[in-house]
Amino acid sequence: MSTIQVGTLADIPEGTGRAFDVAGRRVAVFRAEGQLYAIDDTCSHAEASLSQGEFDPDELCVECPLHGSLFDVRSGLPRTLPAFEPIATYRVYSEADAVFVEYHD
Ligand code: FES
């Protein structure tokens, strides 16, 4: 397990998400009510960037911008079709203002 700093809290304003490069993959980090959540940025249905979708910080889900599946940012599970496979989640945390993501090498 490795850890990488992806950015700072200023990069992820409250109620938004943003994708970062993490060891060759794209990881989307979302921020809601001071909590951070990290999932694969690529939808499990086709090539779409979930960080470009609409994030609902109350429901803690993001809508895929291509076909509209909703993904839970806590579990990576799709809540609606057409996607039906989960996407990976990552441990994410902040120290001071720095944001870190853990990943498997
Ligand atoms: S690419 Fe995400 S639902 Fe189709």
Side-chain angles (χ1 to χ4, degrees), residues 9-59:
L9 288 174
D11 296 323
I12 317 163
E14 179 66 34
T16 70
R18 176 170 166 178
F20 298 93
D21 283 317
V22 175
R25 63 201 106 177
R26 294 290 283 170
V27 173
V29 179
F30 298 90
R31 183 173 168 192
E33 299 196 1
Q35 296 290 310
L36 295 170
Y37 306 90
I39 58 176
D40 268 336
D41 187 48
T42 305
C43 184
S44 60
H45 179 240
E47 283 290 320
S49 168
L50 294 175
S51 61
Q52 301 297 310
E54 192 161 326
F55 177 50
D56 183 337
D58 296 322
E59 292 294 321

Side-chain angles (χ1 to χ4, degrees), residues 7 12 14 19 24 34 40 58 61 70 74 80 89 93-94 98 102 105:
I12 317 163
E14 179 66 34
D40 268 336
D58 296 322
C61 65
L70 293 174
R74 294 165 293 188
T80 59
T89 61
Y93 60 93
S94 62
E102 277 185 7
D105 294 315

